[in-house]
Amino acid sequence: MSTAPVQPILLPADWRDFWSLTKPRVMSLVIFTGLCGLLAAPVPINPVIGFAAILCIAIGAGGAAALNMWWEADLDAKMKRTANRALPAGRMDRAVARDFGIVLCAGSVLVMGLAVGLLAAAILAFSIFYYAVIYTIWLKPRTPQNIVIGGGAGAFPPMIGWIAATGDITLMPVLLFAIIFFWTPPHFWALALFVETDYAAAGIPMMPVVAGHRSTRRQILIYAVLLLPIALAPFLLGLTHWLYGLSALLLGAAFLILTLRVATFRTPANDADMRAEKRLFAFSIIYLFALFGALVADRFILG
Amino acid sequence: MTELDPKLERQRIIKGRNRALALVLFGLAALFFAITIVKKMP
């Protein structure tokens, strides 16, 4: 990482630039999965404490995202998709972004510890460290398995939500963690297949750049196949009712069919338009929202 | 397209930041107040 800003800074950063540093779209998924973990837990939680827990998860994720953008400003400047972000575009000083990230992370852990519980705060702190240091600084620039490792960071929110409600770690939050962990590689590699040129320009060892399309498609299929029994496990182990089980089966089957289209039946025409990859990427987002939505519905409707 | 006056633009940005900060501080104060009440409940 060099310390020189990409563009000269002429004006102070707008509040929207600070907001964009927290990656609001990623944060919405974090809030949703964290909330589902909290609501699916068998123990009711006071709404104020529940709100504080979700807020802390969101702010912690936002702080980690700000630290990620601070560290990757040079890489972001090289990619068309990210070149207009506040740091590479020169709308914000790097040190300001770093300090903003640190304040959000520290504040979220502190409030989580005081208002919700020490175990939830400890897992939140570890998830921030995992994303900002282990993933962003250490492994993302070094290994094409970066997405698999990064998936671990995204998998923490439902676990933290569950722990905030119950106060301890049981099999169910571990399964929720595993679902997102195995969902992440097909989700991101599908994206990486159709924005490959961007990652190549930035020198990030994304799987399609390093191992090629064929190997990436095979690995997408492997993770999608593994995801099906993991998503069904809460039902098979008697931790949920049939509503979640049926949803996991139908959603998993649809996910697998779309993945098969990405992994097999390749022709020069569908290699060119990447329609199957774009469809898998779009459906993977729906899949996660629907699966966790079904988990909460199962808990509220069937008890 | 007309050029923006940097001085006015600077004032506009700082005003927006101050408002956003005030909102955040007010929200946090309200949240801490609510948490304190909940924690004090038997």
Side-chain angles (χ1 to χ4, degrees):
Chain A
M1 190 198 75
S2 79
T3 50
V6 181
Q7 298 283 332
I9 294 156
L10 302 170
L11 289 165
D14 194 83
W15 67 268
R16 290 173 192 85
D17 292 324
F18 284 96
W19 174 245
S20 70
L21 270 189
T22 62
K23 296 191 182 177
R25 273 198 289 182
V26 176
M27 202 200 271
S28 65
L29 198 66
V30 164
I31 290 172
F32 179 76
T33 55
L35 186 64
C36 288
L38 189 107
L39 294 175
V43 184
I45 185 168
N46 184 290
V48 173
I49 304 298
F51 175 77
I54 297 302
L55 189 70
C56 289
I57 293 172
I59 292 174
L67 291 175
N68 169 279
M69 287 211 211
W70 159 67
W71 187 261
E72 293 186 344
D74 287 330
L75 295 178
D76 285 346
K78 292 175 188 165
M79 296 199 287
K80 202 169 70 182
R81 188 171 64 87
T82 52
N84 197 34
R85 284 178 176 175
L87 289 172
R91 295 195 303 274
M92 185 186 282
D93 186 64
R94 278 189 170 180
V96 173
R98 179 200 60 204
D99 297 346
F100 178 66
I102 291 171
V103 166
L104 290 190
C105 292
S108 64
V109 173
L110 189 70
V111 175
M112 184 73 103
L114 291 171
V116 183
L118 288 179
L119 185 60
I123 305 275
L124 178 64
F126 180 72
S127 71
I128 291 168
F129 175 77
Y130 187 99
Y131 182 72
V133 179
I134 297 178
Y135 169 66
T136 301
I137 296 175
W138 185 26
L139 294 172
K140 188 177 176 183
R142 285 179 177 79
T143 166
Q145 292 296 329
N146 48 21
I147 288 307
V148 180
I149 298 147
F156 278 110
M159 192 184 214
I160 300 169
W162 182 287
I163 293 165
T166 63
D168 64 349
I169 304 174
T170 52
L171 180 60
M172 190 62 184
V174 175
L175 286 173
L176 297 180
F177 178 94
I179 288 169
I180 299 186
F181 186 82
F182 282 90
W183 165 87
T184 306
H187 168 73
F188 271 106
W189 282 335
L191 173 74
L193 280 170
F194 61 85
V195 290
E196 185 199 332
T197 48
D198 253 351
Y199 286 117
I204 298 173
M206 201 53 77
M207 187 62 79
V209 180
V210 176
H213 279 204
R214 208 170 153 181
S215 172
T216 306
R217 292 175 199 285
R218 197 174 56 239
Q219 294 199 53
I220 285 177
L221 183 62
I222 292 169
Y223 278 97
V225 168
L226 290 171
L227 178 63
L228 185 63
I230 289 165
L232 278 169
F235 171 69
L236 297 174
L237 294 169
L239 300 169
T240 65
H241 301 94
W242 63 267
L243 182 58
Y244 172 81
L246 186 64
S247 305
L249 185 66
L250 295 175
L251 287 165
F255 196 86
L256 214 49
I257 289 167
L258 290 175
T259 308
L260 277 168
R261 283 187 188 160
V262 168
T264 54
F265 314 120
R266 307 305 306 168
T267 64
N270 55 31
D271 269 347
D273 66 15
M274 292 274 179
R275 197 176 290 170
E277 289 75 10
K278 288 172 185 168
R279 205 171 279 171
L280 175 64
F281 177 72
F283 181 76
S284 66
I285 298 167
I286 297 168
Y287 171 90
L288 201 68
F289 273 100
L291 189 74
F292 276 77
L295 181 72
V296 175
D298 184 278
R299 166 103 190 98
F300 275 79
I301 296 168
L302 302 171
Chain B
M1 208 176 84
T2 52
E3 281 260 322
L4 287 170
D5 180 358
K7 211 172 171 182
L8 287 176
E9 184 62 5
R10 190 184 175 82
Q11 278 178 349
R12 187 193 64 79
I13 289 171
I14 290 173
K15 206 170 169 182
R17 280 169 56 155
N18 288 346
R19 278 183 184 161
L21 190 61
L23 260 175
V24 168
L25 290 176
F26 180 78
L28 282 177
L31 179 68
F32 291 156
F33 187 68
I35 289 170
T36 308
I37 291 171
V38 168
K39 289 273 178 190
K40 290 269 179 192
M41 282 197 309

